[in-house]
Amino acid sequence: MEKKVKLQIDGKEVIAPEGMNLLDAGHLVDVFIPNLCYLKGMRGFGACRLCLVEVEGLKSPVIACNTKVREGMVVHTQTEKVRNIRRFILDLILSIHPLDCMTCTKAGICKLQEYAYEYELKNTSFIKKKMGYPIDQINPFIRRDPEYCILCGRCVRVCKEQGTNVLDFIGRGINAEIGTAYNKSLRESGCTFCGSCVDACPVNALPEADRWRKGREWEYTKIPSVCLFCGNGCDILISVKDGGIQKINTGEKPGSTKKYICAYGRFGYDYIEDRTRITTPLKRENDTLKETTWKEALSIIAAKLKEAGNETGFISTAGITNEDALALKRFAKNVVKTKNFDTTLSLYSDIHSMKDSQSALITNSDLIILIGLNPSQWSRVLPALDASIRKRVNRGGKLLVITSADIKIEEAATLTLKGDEITILKAIVKSLIDKGLKADIQLENAVKDAVVTEDIEKAAKLVEEAQNPVIFTSPSLFDSSANLTIIKGKVIAVGFESNSRGVALIGLTTEGKSYSDMVNKGMKVLYVIGEVPLNARPSHTDFLIVQTSHFTELAEQADIVLPSTTQYETEGTIIDYLGRLKKLNRAIDPIGTSKTHRDIFVAISKIMKSPLKKPSENEINKLIKVKPKLSFNPFIRRDGFEIAPREFIESINASVLRGRRLAWLKEAVAAIAV
Amino acid sequence: MEKNIIIKVCMGTGGVASGGEEVLAKFREMITESNLNAKISSNCHAQKVGCRGFCSKDVLVDVIVDDVKTTYKHIKPDMVERIFNEHVINGVPVNEWLAGPEYNNFHDKQTKVVLSHCGDIDPEDIDSYIAVGGYNAAKKAVLEMAPEEIVNIIKNSNLRGRGGAGFPTGLKWELGLRIKSDVKYVICNGDEGDPGAFMDRSVMEGDPHSVIEGMIICAKATQSNSGYIYVRAEYPLAVKRLQMAIEQCLMKNFLGNNIFGSDFSFDLKIFQGAGAFVCGEATALMRSIEGKRGMPSPKLWRSAERGLWDKPTVLNNVETFANVPKIILNGANWYRKLGTERSGGTKVFSLSGKVRNTGLVEVPLGISLREIIYDIGGGIEGGKNFKAVQTGGPSGGCIPAELLDTEVDYESLARAGSIMGSGGMVVLDENTCMVNTAKFFLEFTQAESCGKCTPCRIGTKRMLEILERITSGKGKDGDIELLEELGNHIRATSLCGLGMTAANPVLSTLKYFRDEYIAHIKEKRCPAAVCRDLITFTIIEELCKGCGSCKRVCPADAIRGTRKSPHRIDKELCIKCGSCFDACKFKAILKV
């Protein structure tokens, strides 16, 4: 139990954990001390000086963001003295800040505006100056306007803490500003356009590039949801106005991937209305796809499925909700009566790795062990995992990387062990046993021939000293990695799709032919759900049904194309890689006549006279409540899962990446790489 | 009869700039050419020594014949031959080139502890340092003393941080010793940045081993095994000599593993800073070593608890460390008695400005400003009146004539509205405009502000704008009050010492020279006739001889007149550069 101290803030009694700062302590009793530069969870920065408060017994005011609570402390946050100081600080800031709140995008959410109002500053008492900085607006994501910048340094710290390292302070005196290396544009600076700085900026210096006149903050309906583009399954917060998405921010719910989303998640949403969006069902007539009605399309499908029966194959992405997954499984098994239903999960993971993967929080872990994985913000393979690990390391966590490849995250590692992952794991286990840690006899026998080198010794020491180690492993190494948890820690196999774990738990895993079999050998009727890494119609396929939101190369070769909803137009749940159940909410109405996957299955089942019920919340909850069972398994590397992560993620998001802004990003990255 | 002759050539930065290297080379050439050692069977050699503090007289050369020292000033290479022939060979000093009583006076009134070897030993030769007792203290500390014992001596000596803040060094070390950690650091702050201050540079250049020795003792006392000397890259000679000194120490096993044959190890590195003034601030300095931007951070912990890379760190200034070996050797009492009750020892100042003898002076704490300026400094240049003395650089303040008897120690200077600071001491005479002086320092601070906290970044700029408006004749009623209000706010709200003290030059001049501000604002007049926009130049007809000197130097062609008749200045064209004023031999130009 952490120790608590009792203090008083503005006459209110506060019981706060030892080590907490006054600003956070104030929040506990709804005392909000003004500040522009504080970032919760980070060390107080002390730049803005607005949070100065008076503490009885101390001669001069102290900054609340960097003063720890003490037993018996009496704090006053609203004395005339500190209010005067705040007025002075704000007056200074306003002397070089545009006063165009009437047209400013951030009006209503700008902290400077809020404090100017509270401290009754209509204008500066000084002579107003303009710095005349140029605006960086040559990218479609972030507009950087230093004229508004108040140098709170939030963007710098966020960018640094997550390891992106693009922004920093440059210059001195009044000419100090926030910039990139050599003050180049964001496009040329290695920026990944994740937009973390956008969320961090308290003023209008770093808004989304297209924000202006897309509505003020108070006009938006805010819908929390989850991004399904990759295996991270990040929490997002969708701002909707006039039935359209205006912007997306990180989800505010605590316990998410800690406030990071990548450029895909934040800016990729403009693909929903791309010209490749499918709005009505299509059927093939004389070699071309023609628009048709839902009624006709579904009856054709029903007839085909009835005819093919167990020669039907269903292949789906693992980026679908639990509800869709369960509906699909029941539809295939009970209505169409086929055992052939599988997902892209089978391309990179076995079922056991996903099912028996444990639950953990990165933020609670003091040692992260990364095995055979290459998360990267830059290649956008599990970017949020990369950022979260780097953040954890910057807040005092340690990182042990075990890899046979050269990977970028090594730069953040406390220790990197290079070589065959299994050999290294065995040696670490052996070293831990040698140190006297408890293991079981099978494990002891399995590692008795391992060679413990000096580096292995160091790694074992890290594990030994850690209170709460968490292993993130590639599924092919899950069993070997899990063996370590017999001694200590937790293990998580990381899939590349948002609901990798969900589809495994729901059981959308084939009982007949596998995904690869169906694709390679063809099926009488092949029913493809969502975007899969498949561009050519498999040969020996008599009839191809593609059910997706956007035109893909595969869809163009289909016999029937059904328009499905995107992640913003459906609701449901997923289980993310950390084992948390997350809820998607419908933010906007489906475009055109598109329907959710499960609605389509239900509709077809009715035509097939075997009506399907939509899965209930209860059913889902029952299925996903599985206690992982871990016991010793031989140290092996599972074969058959050797996909290239980046190419895989890009191919399952092909239509997202064709969106206006992400297409620009791809070009920009390519141009700079040359 | 065998004679011992040593020729010491001053080769601090000042000496080198005045041609010291050439002078030394010439002496060495003469020694070789004359084959002196064989001829008059004496032992003669020439060596370089560090700065002895009197740079205005460089190149200074000592000729020491059997311990009798004669000092020459302003020596050029072509003068060497005569000195050599007449003095070294024939034993008759060249009287007209002697440094004279002024030089002796300058030195005799000082008490040299830190500077005792500067200007005496060869800074590039460790044996030269060992010959005067160097490294005895370190050896004793490492081999014979317990850490607590060292800490107690330093505590009892009353040594306080010479970087300016005056934190008791012993207490700092005690905390450093008490904190347990696998890694601890000792850092020497050599980022001297005050305009006009060169104490630390002279010590690093003239006696680098004393700094290293002090650090070794500190390392032993705090049980740290790694150290950094942070020096600005603008001090190339200091960097070079420290580097040589470290290498020599490694050879002798005074640094490295198991130093002096003990089980104690101390590894020392030099880190070159890029010359940002703010990097003299401890937290900014440590960020800079960490490879980050040098910006101060608010202190949640003392550096002794969490400093460099979050490890316990003891950071002291160059001069502080240089004092340490002497304290260990001579005892705490000796050092304590040199100073006042609250601050022991001596302090080095760089005396500059309108004083006759500018240079480096070391005096016991508690001496009065008057003694420094008049007895050692020789009074005001050109017989003018003393107006104020600025101490503590841009963080300090101006002390007026009526407070000349103020004792020089941390508390008294603070009471007078200034600070001790690192030791800058600029003497100002009656021709100095105090508003302009305040503006100069504030310009410096604003340009060097790291830009992190609002009051320092924007506040000092707003103050500077007010000063600019006052000195250009556009001052308004209320400006003085506004300056005071701003200054007090900035002092109360800034993040680090740089910001907190930035307003000191303005606030202290407002306190003692308010009438000058009022004259600028109300009468649009600069009493010292310095502020260009407020002065006019006129030719006094009765005194003008019509020589035309003024006309010739005027860059703006603003002076009209024919030879041998009084000239006139066209006020429309005059750019107030003052060239005519300086050129006139008859004092016929009036500046008001």
Side-chain angles (χ1 to χ4, degrees):
Chain A
M1 257 311 267
E2 57 189 350
K3 255 180 92 180
K4 302 260 184 185
V5 294
K6 206 196 284 181
L7 67 155
Q8 214 187 68
I9 302 179
D10 287 350
K12 294 183 184 174
E13 189 171 278
V14 190
I15 294 170
E18 203 173 36
M20 185 180 251
N21 65 49
L22 291 181
L23 235 155
D24 286 343
H27 278 218
L28 298 176
V29 287
D30 290 345
V31 173
F32 299 101
I33 302 167
N35 69 86
L36 289 165
C37 70
Y38 180 61
L39 277 170
K40 205 177 164 73
M42 288 197 200
R43 253 187 218 185
F45 192 57
C48 73
R49 317 307 289 174
L50 275 185
C51 70
L52 281 161
V53 293
E54 289 202 87
V55 176
E56 282 184 14
L58 293 182
K59 226 167 44 191
S60 36
V62 294
I63 43 172
C65 67
N66 199 50
T67 305
K68 286 186 195 167
V69 292
R70 266 195 337 261
E71 185 66 40
M73 217 176 197
V74 182
V75 183
H76 301 283
T77 75
Q78 293 294 339
T79 61
E80 196 47 41
K81 187 171 182 180
V82 292
R83 285 189 66 88
N84 269 335
I85 284 174
R86 289 182 199 142
R87 214 168 278 130
F88 162 72
I89 303 284
L90 291 166
D91 195 356
L92 285 177
I93 295 175
L94 292 182
S95 74
I96 44 170
H97 190 91
L99 295 179
D100 57 356
C101 304
M102 57 288 275
T103 50
C104 179
T105 300
K106 291 297 271 289
I109 194 179
C110 170
K111 292 193 65 173
L112 184 60
Q113 187 191 36
E114 181 190 327
Y115 297 139
Y117 182 81
E118 187 185 334
Y119 288 87
E120 301 168 53
L121 282 151
K122 287 190 164 189
N123 204 332
T124 177
S125 68
F126 300 100
I127 295 164
K128 197 137 175 53
K129 289 277 158 67
K130 213 173 144 74
M131 300 302 291
Y133 292 124
I135 302 169
D136 175 6
Q137 51 184 350
I138 58 169
N139 72 77
F141 304 103
I142 300 166
R143 176 189 156 99
R144 197 163 68 86
D145 189 347
E147 205 63 38
Y148 288 88
C149 179
I150 55 167
L151 270 92
C152 65
R154 286 188 183 201
C155 53
V156 173
R157 283 173 289 150
V158 166
C159 192
K160 273 188 196 298
E161 194 182 46
Q162 68 183 35
T164 321
N165 273 326
V166 168
L167 297 172
D168 206 336
F169 286 82
I170 52 177
R172 281 186 224 160
I174 193 78
N175 297 314
E177 55 175 314
I178 305 293
T180 62
Y182 306 108
N183 219 358
K184 290 191 168 184
S185 68
L186 288 175
R187 179 180 177 271
E188 299 166 290
S189 66
C191 177
T192 63
F193 300 104
C194 69
S196 292
C197 54
V198 172
D199 279 341
C201 182
V203 291
N204 191 34
L206 285 162
E208 292 89 348
D210 62 346
R211 258 305 286 293
W212 200 58
R213 301 197 61 248
K214 279 179 83 177
R216 290 300 194 18
E217 208 64 29
W218 63 81
E219 297 176 77
Y220 298 142
T221 311
K222 304 267 184 180
I223 294 141
S225 194
V226 184
C227 172
L228 301 185
F229 292 153
C230 85
N232 272 116
C234 299
D235 289 341
I236 54 176
L237 190 65
I238 307 171
S239 293
V240 178
K241 181 180 171 248
D242 302 334
I245 299 177
Q246 307 302 332
K247 64 173 184 131
I248 289 180
N249 299 81
T250 57
E252 286 174 331
K253 265 186 269 168
S256 67
T257 40
K258 270 287 164 191
K259 299 246 170 198
Y260 175 94
I261 54 174
C262 68
Y264 293 2
R266 188 183 298 269
F267 299 110
Y269 66 86
D270 60 359
Y271 89 113
I272 48 177
E273 288 191 84
D274 194 72
R275 56 196 161 77
T276 60
R277 182 73 195 259
I278 309 164
T279 50
T280 54
L282 304 162
K283 68 167 185 177
R284 185 163 299 278
E285 259 176 44
N286 305 330
D287 255 12
T288 50
L289 285 170
K290 293 257 168 68
E291 287 190 4
T292 179
T293 59
W294 273 101
K295 202 175 166 193
E296 192 191 358
L298 296 184
S299 16
I300 296 171
I301 291 171
K304 285 283 176 190
L305 293 175
K306 205 158 222 169
E307 188 191 321
N310 62 3
E311 284 177 86
T312 309
F314 289 88
I315 56 172
S316 168
T317 143
I320 57 171
T321 61
N322 292 323
E323 290 71 14
D324 285 345
L326 186 55
L328 168 54
K329 181 185 174 179
R330 287 185 175 159
F331 179 65
K333 226 176 144 173
N334 306 341
V335 181
V336 184
K337 306 223 186 301
T338 174
K339 290 175 174 176
N340 310 318
F341 45 89
D342 209 359
T343 69
T344 39
L345 171 68
S346 65
L347 298 175
Y348 52 84
S349 176
D350 59 307
I351 302 157
H352 146 72
S353 298
M354 286 296 138
K355 273 187 160 172
D356 289 328
S357 200
Q358 294 173 304
S359 297
L361 284 179
I362 295 178
T363 41
N364 289 350
S365 160
D366 55 347
L367 174 67
I368 293 159
I369 307 172
L370 201 61
I371 302 171
L373 279 175
N374 181 10
S376 164
Q377 295 171 46
W378 295 268
S379 64
R380 294 191 181 77
V381 173
L382 305 167
L385 177 61
D386 177 72
S388 312
I389 291 177
R390 288 169 188 266
K391 273 189 185 183
R392 187 68 204 104
V393 171
N394 280 324
R395 291 189 186 187
K398 292 194 167 128
L399 171 65
L400 171 62
V401 174
I402 300 173
T403 173
S404 51
D406 291 324
I407 58 177
K408 191 162 163 54
I409 200 165
E410 282 172 37
E411 67 195 16
T414 319
L415 180 66
T416 301
L417 297 177
K418 279 274 171 74
D420 174 53
E421 289 93 347
I422 293 188
T423 316
I424 294 169
L425 274 167
K426 277 182 168 175
I428 293 176
V429 169
K430 173 141 199 303
S431 174
L432 287 170
I433 293 171
D434 290 349
K435 283 174 189 291
L437 276 82
K438 270 206 185 134
D440 69 14
I441 190 79
Q442 277 177 299
L443 186 58
E444 273 181 41
N445 286 335
V447 300
K448 63 174 184 285
D449 297 329
V451 183
V452 177
T453 62
E454 202 177 310
D455 270 353
I456 297 287
E457 194 72 56
K458 278 190 212 157
K461 193 159 179 258
L462 285 178
V463 179
E464 189 191 3
E465 285 169 357
Q467 302 289 320
N468 192 9
V470 176
I471 303 166
F472 291 97
T473 177
S474 126
S476 60
L477 293 162
F478 180 75
D479 280 338
S480 308
S481 303
N483 283 338
L484 189 55
T485 65
I486 293 174
I487 301 177
K488 208 173 193 184
K490 290 199 164 155
V491 63
I492 284 165
V494 186
F496 295 115
E497 287 166 286
S498 50
N499 203 20
S500 304
R501 282 179 77 159
V503 296
L505 289 170
I506 296 292
L508 185 61
T509 47
T510 194
E511 293 165 9
K513 289 181 178 164
S514 74
Y515 177 100
S516 303
D517 276 351
M518 290 188 253
V519 168
N520 293 335
K521 296 184 185 139
M523 296 299 294
K524 197 162 182 187
V525 173
L526 186 64
Y527 198 137
V528 181
I529 296 103
E531 263 181 73
V532 294
L534 182 62
N535 290 332
R537 177 181 175 129
S539 49
H540 311 298
T541 299
D542 293 349
F543 198 77
L544 177 66
I545 305 157
V546 174
Q547 176 171 310
T548 183
S549 61
H550 287 72
F551 254 107
T552 58
E553 271 184 59
L554 188 68
E556 281 166 23
Q557 302 163 49
D559 296 297
I560 294 265
V561 179
L562 295 178
S564 63
T565 50
T566 63
Q567 58 175 345
Y568 312 108
E569 300 152 359
T570 183
E571 51 194 15
T573 57
I574 64 150
I575 297 165
D576 77 349
Y577 70 117
L578 294 168
R580 295 170 298 192
L581 182 70
K582 290 186 169 180
K583 188 158 176 14
L584 268 82
N585 287 305
R586 188 163 125 172
I588 52 170
D589 291 335
I591 306 273
T593 63
S594 54
K595 295 181 194 303
T596 64
H597 294 308
R598 53 186 179 275
D599 281 347
I600 298 173
F601 299 136
V602 169
I604 304 172
S605 72
K606 278 181 189 154
I607 301 173
M608 292 174 77
K609 303 272 170 2
S610 171
L612 199 65
K613 266 200 299 186
K614 270 202 248 183
S616 71
E617 205 181 314
N618 249 341
E619 285 173 304
I620 300 283
N621 284 345
K622 224 182 257 172
L623 281 168
I624 58 173
K625 235 176 225 153
V626 180
K627 250 205 156 140
K629 285 183 285 281
L630 287 175
S631 56
F632 173 76
N633 276 300
F635 282 90
I636 51 149
R637 181 192 299 269
R638 282 178 198 275
D639 294 330
F641 300 133
E642 295 84 15
I643 56 153
R646 180 178 189 159
E647 286 69 26
F648 176 77
I649 289 168
E650 283 178 3
S651 72
I652 58 170
N653 287 309
S655 51
V656 181
L657 300 185
R658 269 199 301 266
R660 185 180 59 85
R661 293 185 287 197
L662 295 185
W664 177 95
L665 181 59
K666 206 171 172 186
E667 291 288 307
V669 170
I672 285 162
V674 166
Chain B
M1 209 185 69
E2 189 169 307
K3 274 204 282 187
N4 262 320
I5 302 174
I6 307 170
I7 298 156
K8 294 184 176 176
V9 180
C10 185
M11 289 227 325
T13 290
V16 171
S18 311
E21 278 184 25
E22 290 78 9
V23 172
L24 179 65
K26 188 77 187 163
F27 269 114
R28 289 195 167 144
E29 189 189 313
M30 299 291 301
I31 294 172
T32 326
E33 265 178 25
S34 62
N35 203 5
L36 191 69
N37 290 347
K39 209 161 45 188
I40 56 170
S41 71
S42 36
N43 183 9
C44 176
H45 77 275
Q47 69 176 50
K48 59 179 146 326
V49 294
C51 181
R52 60 195 86 192
F54 214 7
C55 302
S56 56
K57 306 280 185 276
D58 265 328
V59 177
L60 287 158
V61 173
D62 290 334
V63 176
I64 305 165
V65 182
D66 287 339
D67 291 339
V68 180
K69 185 164 91 175
T70 315
T71 306
Y72 293 96
K73 64 178 181 186
H74 296 311
I75 299 307
K76 299 267 169 295
D78 55 8
M79 297 155 82
V80 169
E81 196 171 339
R82 188 174 156 201
I83 295 176
F84 193 80
N85 289 333
E86 294 181 14
H87 191 170
V88 177
I89 297 181
N90 296 326
V92 186
V94 184
N95 276 326
E96 67 234 65
W97 294 343
L98 290 182
E102 201 178 37
Y103 177 82
N104 297 328
N105 209 21
F106 179 76
H107 283 290
D108 292 348
K109 297 245 161 94
Q110 299 184 41
T111 307
K112 298 216 174 186
V113 174
V114 170
L115 299 179
S116 57
H117 302 314
C118 274
D120 190 33
I121 61 168
D122 182 347
E124 296 183 5
D125 179 7
I126 191 168
D127 291 322
S128 183
Y129 181 65
I130 293 172
V132 293
Y135 288 107
N136 282 341
K139 204 180 281 178
K140 184 176 165 195
V142 171
L143 296 179
E144 298 165 23
M145 296 171 79
E148 294 76 15
E149 209 179 327
I150 305 173
V151 167
N152 277 336
I153 292 185
I154 301 300
K155 264 169 85 178
N156 289 336
S157 74
N158 256 356
L159 172 63
R160 293 169 65 177
R162 295 293 189 248
F167 189 81
T169 308
L171 282 183
K172 195 185 266 188
W173 291 18
E174 189 173 45
L175 191 57
L177 172 63
R178 205 167 58 222
I179 308 280
K180 298 281 171 263
S181 169
D182 51 342
V183 180
K184 290 187 196 179
Y185 294 100
V186 173
I187 300 178
C188 172
N189 184 349
D191 190 65
E192 189 173 49
D194 290 5
F198 47 89
M199 303 76 54
D200 294 346
R201 194 199 69 211
S202 299
V203 174
M204 290 186 284
E205 286 174 1
D207 195 7
H209 285 287
S210 67
V211 181
I212 294 174
E213 189 176 4
M215 290 185 77
I216 295 174
I217 296 166
C218 173
K220 164 78 183 190
T222 56
Q223 293 294 294
S224 316
N225 301 109
S226 310
Y228 283 97
I229 305 178
Y230 189 95
V231 197
R232 47 179 52 225
E234 286 100 323
Y235 282 181
L237 191 62
V239 172
K240 181 186 144 199
R241 290 192 174 153
L242 284 167
Q243 191 61 52
M244 287 173 88
I246 288 176
E247 279 158 22
Q248 289 164 357
C249 282
L250 284 169
M251 304 261 283
K252 293 217 183 268
N253 192 224
F254 294 173
L255 284 175
N257 289 330
N258 304 97
I259 57 175
F260 301 108
S262 70
D263 57 1
F264 183 72
S265 302
F266 183 54
D267 175 51
L268 185 60
K269 289 192 191 81
I270 294 176
F271 190 96
Q272 291 190 50
F277 178 65
V278 73
C279 283
E281 198 275 346
T283 56
L285 185 152
M286 290 187 272
R287 295 301 87 76
S288 171
I289 295 181
E290 288 168 4
K292 297 173 184 148
R293 179 178 156 98
M295 287 203 298
S297 18
K299 281 187 177 169
L300 200 49
W301 300 276
R302 286 193 171 281
S303 301
E305 296 167 279
R306 283 197 197 185
L308 186 62
W309 285 299
D310 270 351
K311 297 289 180 189
T313 303
V314 168
L315 183 141
N316 281 123
N317 161 272
V318 168
E319 194 186 327
T320 316
F321 280 125
N323 270 304
V324 169
K326 280 98 185 173
I327 297 173
I328 296 293
L329 286 182
N330 299 323
N333 270 340
W334 162 79
Y335 192 78
R336 176 208 282 277
K337 279 185 191 148
L338 286 176
T340 64
E341 203 189 319
R342 297 187 59 183
S343 338
T346 58
K347 174 80 191 94
V348 183
F349 290 95
S350 44
L351 190 58
S352 63
K354 301 295 173 63
V355 67
R356 199 171 280 132
N357 306 330
T358 59
L360 215 54
V361 301
E362 183 171 0
V363 291
L365 287 169
I367 191 175
S368 72
L369 283 167
R370 186 184 299 281
E371 283 171 278
I372 298 180
I373 294 164
Y374 283 92
D375 295 352
I376 298 171
I380 306 303
E381 212 178 23
K384 295 205 173 111
N385 285 327
F386 172 88
K387 187 172 201 173
V389 54
Q390 207 279 346
T391 69
S395 307
C398 294
I399 298 170
E402 58 266 31
L403 294 176
L404 256 181
D405 291 313
T406 302
E407 284 186 358
V408 175
D409 64 48
Y410 296 95
E411 287 75 23
S412 311
L413 286 179
R415 267 198 304 278
S418 184
I419 60 165
M420 178 92 117
S422 60
M425 196 174 270
V426 185
V427 178
L428 310 170
D429 70 7
E430 55 186 309
N431 287 0
T432 315
C433 168
M434 299 312 287
V435 187
N436 193 52
T437 304
K439 192 181 88 179
F440 167 81
F441 281 110
L442 201 63
E443 254 168 13
F444 178 86
T445 330
Q446 158 59 209
E448 290 292 341
S449 162
C450 78
K452 181 172 170 177
C453 75
T454 319
C456 179
R457 178 179 77 248
I458 312 177
T460 55
K461 179 69 182 174
R462 298 289 97 97
M463 279 184 85
L464 184 58
E465 283 163 359
I466 297 168
L467 288 175
E468 277 164 354
R469 131 173 130 213
I470 294 175
T471 53
S472 61
K474 293 175 191 131
K476 299 184 291 202
D477 268 354
D479 273 355
I480 292 180
E481 292 71 21
L482 190 53
L483 278 174
E484 277 172 335
E485 191 192 330
L486 276 168
N488 286 325
H489 270 315
I490 293 170
R491 178 186 275 172
T493 58
S494 287
L495 167 59
C496 79
L498 187 143
M500 282 189 246
T501 57
N504 279 357
V506 181
L507 294 177
S508 72
T509 47
L510 272 173
K511 184 170 168 192
Y512 297 119
F513 302 94
R514 203 180 188 87
D515 49 343
E516 275 194 47
Y517 281 83
I518 294 169
H520 279 78
I521 295 169
K522 296 236 159 108
E523 302 160 33
K524 308 293 175 210
R525 182 174 68 82
C526 175
V530 170
C531 298
R532 226 184 241 193
D533 290 322
L534 300 182
I535 53 174
T536 49
F537 289 89
T538 33
I539 294 175
I540 307 164
E541 279 189 29
E542 300 80 65
L543 295 176
C544 180
K545 307 277 186 233
C547 71
S549 308
C550 55
K551 196 170 152 187
R552 275 193 296 280
V553 296
C554 179
D557 268 341
I559 301 181
R560 307 259 179 270
T562 45
R563 253 185 103 67
K564 300 208 170 157
S565 58
H567 285 41
R568 266 187 17 343
I569 297 175
D570 185 334
K571 295 215 166 63
E572 291 290 300
L573 295 175
C574 177
I575 56 165
K576 301 173 184 176
C577 66
S579 302
C580 53
F581 185 82
D582 295 334
C584 181
K585 296 186 195 77
F586 308 102
K587 292 200 186 325
I589 293 176
L590 183 69
K591 179 165 84 167
V592 279

